[in-house]
Amino acid sequence: MGDSERGTDPAIAGLVSSARAAAELAHAPYSGFRVGAAVLGATGVHTAANVENASYGLSLCAERAALSRALAEGDGEGIRAIAVACVDAAPDSPLGEVMPCGACRQWLAELAPKADVHIATADGGVRTFTVDDLLPHAFVLRRG
Ligand SMILES: [Zn+2]
C-alpha cells in the first residue's frame, strides 16, 4: 500500500479520531508528548495512550499499550489496522517525530504483521504504511 494519503477514508479517519481521543488520557508528565493508538481487530477497536515513568526506560508507548490491550481483550488474531496520533506535535513537526519507534515496529511485526499503520501527521493529514514498510526484514521466529 505504501505511504499514500488516506485521510479522507471515513473508516481510517474514525480510527485516527479514536487514537487522538486516547492520547488525551496519556500519562506523559516528563516528555509532554501525548500519544494515542487505536488497534482495529476482529472484535472492535482497542485504544491506549503512552504511559511514562520517572525511570524513563520503563515508559510504554501508546502503540505497545494498545496492542497489549487488544490481546488482553481477546483480539490478538486478525489485527487489521492501527492508528497513531500525537496531540502535542508542533504543526511543523517532521514525519519522524510522529512515527512509531523501533520497539513498537518490532511489536507490530510480530503481533500485527498484516496491519495497515495509519499515522496522523502534524499537519492534520494521515499517512498509511505497511508493517513491512516500517520494518523491512524484521526479526521473526518460526512458530510450530
Ligand atoms: Zn514506541
Side-chain angles (χ1 to χ4, degrees), residues 59-64 99-105:
S59 296
L60 181 63
C61 299
E63 298 94 316
R64 282 177 284 150
M99 292 294 291
C101 76
C104 289
R105 293 177 195 212

PDB file of all heavy atoms in Angstrom, residues 59-64 99-105, ligand 1:
ATOM      1  N   SER A  59       9.097   3.501  30.452  1.00  0.00           N
ATOM      2  CA  SER A  59       7.938   4.101  29.800  1.00  0.00           C
ATOM      3  C   SER A  59       7.425   3.173  28.704  1.00  0.00           C
ATOM      4  O   SER A  59       8.182   2.423  28.098  1.00  0.00           O
ATOM      5  CB  SER A  59       8.310   5.457  29.199  1.00  0.00           C
ATOM      6  OG  SER A  59       8.678   6.347  30.230  1.00  0.00           O
ATOM      7  N   LEU A  60       6.121   3.246  28.476  1.00  0.00           N
ATOM      8  CA  LEU A  60       5.486   2.389  27.476  1.00  0.00           C
ATOM      9  C   LEU A  60       4.810   3.253  26.432  1.00  0.00           C
ATOM     10  O   LEU A  60       4.037   4.154  26.756  1.00  0.00           O
ATOM     11  CB  LEU A  60       4.454   1.466  28.151  1.00  0.00           C
ATOM     12  CG  LEU A  60       3.729   0.489  27.235  1.00  0.00           C
ATOM     13  CD1 LEU A  60       4.709  -0.493  26.594  1.00  0.00           C
ATOM     14  CD2 LEU A  60       2.666  -0.258  28.025  1.00  0.00           C
ATOM     15  N   CYS A  61       5.095   2.951  25.178  1.00  0.00           N
ATOM     16  CA  CYS A  61       4.496   3.692  24.075  1.00  0.00           C
ATOM     17  C   CYS A  61       3.025   3.318  23.906  1.00  0.00           C
ATOM     18  O   CYS A  61       2.595   2.217  24.256  1.00  0.00           O
ATOM     19  CB  CYS A  61       5.211   3.381  22.770  1.00  0.00           C
ATOM     20  SG  CYS A  61       6.951   3.827  22.747  1.00  0.00           S
ATOM     21  N   ALA A  62       2.276   4.230  23.319  1.00  0.00           N
ATOM     22  CA  ALA A  62       0.854   4.005  23.058  1.00  0.00           C
ATOM     23  C   ALA A  62       0.626   2.790  22.163  1.00  0.00           C
ATOM     24  O   ALA A  62      -0.325   2.025  22.379  1.00  0.00           O
ATOM     25  CB  ALA A  62       0.252   5.250  22.412  1.00  0.00           C
ATOM     26  N   GLU A  63       1.495   2.613  21.189  1.00  0.00           N
ATOM     27  CA  GLU A  63       1.294   1.504  20.246  1.00  0.00           C
ATOM     28  C   GLU A  63       1.366   0.160  20.969  1.00  0.00           C
ATOM     29  O   GLU A  63       0.528  -0.719  20.767  1.00  0.00           O
ATOM     30  CB  GLU A  63       2.353   1.538  19.140  1.00  0.00           C
ATOM     31  CG  GLU A  63       2.323   2.789  18.282  1.00  0.00           C
ATOM     32  CD  GLU A  63       3.291   3.872  18.770  1.00  0.00           C
ATOM     33  OE1 GLU A  63       3.361   4.115  19.999  1.00  0.00           O
ATOM     34  OE2 GLU A  63       3.982   4.469  17.925  1.00  0.00           O
ATOM     35  N   ARG A  64       2.396  -0.011  21.810  1.00  0.00           N
ATOM     36  CA  ARG A  64       2.521  -1.290  22.517  1.00  0.00           C
ATOM     37  C   ARG A  64       1.426  -1.445  23.566  1.00  0.00           C
ATOM     38  O   ARG A  64       0.937  -2.555  23.802  1.00  0.00           O
ATOM     39  CB  ARG A  64       3.912  -1.426  23.136  1.00  0.00           C
ATOM     40  CG  ARG A  64       4.966  -1.807  22.091  1.00  0.00           C
ATOM     41  CD  ARG A  64       6.357  -1.876  22.659  1.00  0.00           C
ATOM     42  NE  ARG A  64       6.881  -0.529  22.847  1.00  0.00           N
ATOM     43  CZ  ARG A  64       7.756  -0.173  23.771  1.00  0.00           C
ATOM     44  NH1 ARG A  64       8.204  -1.063  24.636  1.00  0.00           N
ATOM     45  NH2 ARG A  64       8.184   1.065  23.843  1.00  0.00           N
ATOM     46  N   MET A  99       6.234   9.107  14.080  1.00  0.00           N
ATOM     47  CA  MET A  99       6.285   7.710  13.633  1.00  0.00           C
ATOM     48  C   MET A  99       6.538   6.775  14.816  1.00  0.00           C
ATOM     49  O   MET A  99       7.133   7.174  15.815  1.00  0.00           O
ATOM     50  CB  MET A  99       7.413   7.539  12.604  1.00  0.00           C
ATOM     51  CG  MET A  99       7.160   8.249  11.285  1.00  0.00           C
ATOM     52  SD  MET A  99       5.756   7.566  10.366  1.00  0.00           S
ATOM     53  CE  MET A  99       6.411   5.961   9.881  1.00  0.00           C
ATOM     54  N   PRO A 100       6.103   5.507  14.713  1.00  0.00           N
ATOM     55  CA  PRO A 100       6.388   4.540  15.770  1.00  0.00           C
ATOM     56  C   PRO A 100       7.892   4.339  15.945  1.00  0.00           C
ATOM     57  O   PRO A 100       8.650   4.346  14.969  1.00  0.00           O
ATOM     58  CB  PRO A 100       5.733   3.248  15.263  1.00  0.00           C
ATOM     59  CG  PRO A 100       4.697   3.699  14.291  1.00  0.00           C
ATOM     60  CD  PRO A 100       5.260   4.935  13.654  1.00  0.00           C
ATOM     61  N   CYS A 101       8.313   4.135  17.188  1.00  0.00           N
ATOM     62  CA  CYS A 101       9.729   3.886  17.466  1.00  0.00           C
ATOM     63  C   CYS A 101      10.105   2.465  17.043  1.00  0.00           C
ATOM     64  O   CYS A 101       9.250   1.653  16.675  1.00  0.00           O
ATOM     65  CB  CYS A 101      10.011   4.107  18.953  1.00  0.00           C
ATOM     66  SG  CYS A 101       9.452   2.772  20.021  1.00  0.00           S
ATOM     67  N   GLY A 102      11.360   2.157  17.124  1.00  0.00           N
ATOM     68  CA  GLY A 102      11.829   0.849  16.707  1.00  0.00           C
ATOM     69  C   GLY A 102      11.227  -0.296  17.502  1.00  0.00           C
ATOM     70  O   GLY A 102      10.886  -1.348  16.946  1.00  0.00           O
ATOM     71  N   ALA A 103      11.082  -0.120  18.809  1.00  0.00           N
ATOM     72  CA  ALA A 103      10.497  -1.179  19.640  1.00  0.00           C
ATOM     73  C   ALA A 103       9.071  -1.470  19.199  1.00  0.00           C
ATOM     74  O   ALA A 103       8.659  -2.628  19.081  1.00  0.00           O
ATOM     75  CB  ALA A 103      10.542  -0.779  21.111  1.00  0.00           C
ATOM     76  N   CYS A 104       8.306  -0.432  18.940  1.00  0.00           N
ATOM     77  CA  CYS A 104       6.918  -0.627  18.513  1.00  0.00           C
ATOM     78  C   CYS A 104       6.865  -1.283  17.141  1.00  0.00           C
ATOM     79  O   CYS A 104       5.979  -2.096  16.864  1.00  0.00           O
ATOM     80  CB  CYS A 104       6.171   0.697  18.520  1.00  0.00           C
ATOM     81  SG  CYS A 104       5.860   1.299  20.200  1.00  0.00           S
ATOM     82  N   ARG A 105       7.772  -0.947  16.273  1.00  0.00           N
ATOM     83  CA  ARG A 105       7.804  -1.592  14.953  1.00  0.00           C
ATOM     84  C   ARG A 105       8.046  -3.090  15.095  1.00  0.00           C
ATOM     85  O   ARG A 105       7.454  -3.893  14.382  1.00  0.00           O
ATOM     86  CB  ARG A 105       8.878  -0.936  14.078  1.00  0.00           C
ATOM     87  CG  ARG A 105       8.526   0.495  13.729  1.00  0.00           C
ATOM     88  CD  ARG A 105       9.614   1.186  12.932  1.00  0.00           C
ATOM     89  NE  ARG A 105       9.394   2.624  12.935  1.00  0.00           N
ATOM     90  CZ  ARG A 105       9.709   3.440  11.931  1.00  0.00           C
ATOM     91  NH1 ARG A 105      10.290   2.960  10.856  1.00  0.00           N
ATOM     92  NH2 ARG A 105       9.460   4.724  12.022  1.00  0.00           N
TER      93      ARG A 105
HETATM   94 ZN    ZN B   1       7.236   3.068  20.559  1.00  0.00          ZN
END
